[in-house]
Amino acid sequence: HWIKNGSFLRGRNLLFGYTFPVEMTNRLKMNRLRMYVSAQNFFLSVEDPIVGDPEVTPTNQGGGNSAFSQGMIWHNYPKPTTYMLGLQIGL
């Protein structure tokens, strides 16, 4: 009853960027203009949400790691979700 399906799908890194055309940057007296949006750890899909993150390290039991607790959430913090919006300007 401790053996579970370990399949999961994680959205770790995603980056969308757009570099504005040279004609537009020349009118604005810039060499380069780029806008981007980035997301890290933005979703995790597991079959059994109670088990949680399958990449969690095992808990310490008796001074050593227990292979039987791999992927079980006991006292771990979740991975943070980070969103970033940026603008790169070359003068």
Side-chain angles (χ1 to χ4, degrees):
H1 106 103
W2 279 85
I3 297 175
K4 302 273 186 179
N5 182 358
S7 301
F8 69 99
L9 182 64
R10 178 187 301 277
R12 178 128 6 212
N13 292 313
L14 182 67
L15 174 70
F16 289 113
Y18 178 73
T19 303
F20 289 89
V22 176
E23 297 82 23
M24 182 178 183
T25 57
N26 286 341
R27 278 188 278 138
L28 296 172
K29 303 209 186 328
M30 296 179 190
N31 289 343
R32 180 182 173 170
L33 181 61
R34 183 172 188 266
M35 189 168 107
Y36 63 91
V37 63
S38 169
Q40 296 176 345
N41 297 320
F42 52 96
F43 80 90
L44 173 64
S45 174
V46 292
E47 185 175 309
D48 187 0
I50 294 173
V51 173
D53 191 350
E55 294 181 325
V56 171
T57 58
T59 60
N60 289 335
Q61 294 178 353
N65 287 335
S66 171
F68 298 110
S69 65
Q70 179 70 39
M72 300 296 287
I73 297 175
W74 296 97
H75 304 289
N76 290 20
Y77 291 107
K79 290 179 174 59
T81 302
T82 306
Y83 299 102
M84 189 172 14
L85 177 66
L87 190 62
Q88 295 175 335
I89 301 171
L91 298 174

